[in-house]
Amino acid sequence: MFLNNQITKLPNNQILTREFYDRDPRRVARDLLGKLLVRRTHGALVGGRIVEAEAYLGESDAAAHAAAGQTLRNAVLFGPPGHAYVYFIYGNYFCLNVSCMPEGKAGCVLFRALEPLCGLEQMAQARALAAVPQKKLRLLATGPGRLTQALGITRERDNGKDLTTTASDLVIVDDGFRPKHVLRTARIGITKNPEQMLRYVIDGNAFVSR
DNA sequence: TTATAGATTGCCT
DNA sequence: GGCAATCTATAAT
């Protein structure tokens, strides 16, 4: 069902604009569900549909990197909206966020899972998987660490990148898809401020983590 | 200068 | 279901 739904073209006019991200991260996270996150390198498209995302707020949110104020590491969060914030976690993985809110105000959305739609081979290769077994498609880009690995996202390569320009090789586009039902749950893996319902998932989608 | 916790994953029992 | 691996930012000595 996924393989015969592959994407071959990405019209530039469907790239989400800076205004889209210039809002409360909770609204942005909700609206990012169903959009496409795609890496385009020498003509090839690699990516899929966003099915899970988490909102991180500013100083009021103890779980957010911005909670302690601006540092060298989290500076992107305080910059203009629509830029990639990539950080290294647990000595092994990168996590991809997009900055929200106007310049000077922190806030972001963490991408947690994709439904793979294009470049499955490249993703499998990037994930060091020998093949793409139908039963294990979830292993390609479900989970924030797997997602970044599948798209080759690193801090050096992508941190601070503007995701709203046609020149960017990493973009988020609207192909018209609208999720039927969205669920809100607690965020995963955090210890501070765990009770807030800031994780957004497409209800019933098989590529949501857990 | 040293210690520790962390927005995870994969392998172990 | 439990836990080690591994790097970095930040807190503690």
Side-chain angles (χ1 to χ4, degrees), chain A residues 133-192:
Chain A
Q134 280 292 323
K135 283 175 66 178
K136 300 195 172 180
L137 270 181
R138 276 172 53 88
L139 293 179
L140 272 189
T142 287
R146 296 197 192 103
L147 183 156
T148 52
Q149 205 170 37
L151 296 199
I153 291 167
T154 66
R155 185 175 52 191
E156 187 178 41
R157 185 178 180 189
D158 298 302
N159 189 46
K161 186 174 282 181
D162 187 351
L163 304 182
T164 67
T165 76
T166 59
S168 175
D169 64 329
L170 193 60
V171 291
I172 302 164
V173 306
D174 182 356
D175 70 342
F177 178 90
R178 294 292 178 271
K180 290 184 177 56
H181 296 291
V182 168
L183 294 182
R184 225 159 42 99
T185 79
R187 292 174 292 187
I188 306 268
I190 57 168
T191 55
K192 299 168 189 165

Side-chain angles (χ1 to χ4, degrees), chain A residues 44-112:
Chain A
L45 298 180
V46 180
R49 197 174 303 287
I50 300 160
V51 300
E52 174 178 350
E54 287 178 357
Y56 286 84
L57 314 180
E59 332 237 305
S60 61
D61 182 5
H65 284 184
Q70 182 169 346
T71 64
L72 190 62
R73 175 210 202 188
N74 66 18
V76 175
L77 298 179
F78 294 83
H83 288 252
Y85 170 52
V86 181
Y87 65 90
F88 198 55
I89 188 74
Y90 296 127
N92 276 322
Y93 300 98
F94 292 100
C95 288
L96 172 69
N97 305 252
V98 62
S99 61
C100 302
M101 303 290 283
E103 183 158 15
K105 291 202 171 188
C108 67
V109 172
L110 168 70
F111 297 92
R112 288 194 54 93

Side-chain angles (χ1 to χ4, degrees), chain A residues 107-138:
Chain A
C108 67
V109 172
L110 168 70
F111 297 92
R112 288 194 54 93
L114 297 183
E115 174 181 333
L117 286 182
C118 51
L120 305 196
E121 314 289 322
Q122 291 93 326
M123 284 196 240
Q125 222 169 12
R127 295 259 309 113
L129 301 174
V132 189
Q134 280 292 323
K135 283 175 66 178
K136 300 195 172 180
L137 270 181
R138 276 172 53 88

Side-chain angles (χ1 to χ4, degrees), chain A residues 54 183-188 194-201:
Chain A
E54 287 178 357
L183 294 182
R184 225 159 42 99
T185 79
R187 292 174 292 187
I188 306 268
E195 68 283 351
Q196 284 200 65
M197 309 284 273
L198 296 180
R199 173 173 173 255
Y200 299 78
V201 305

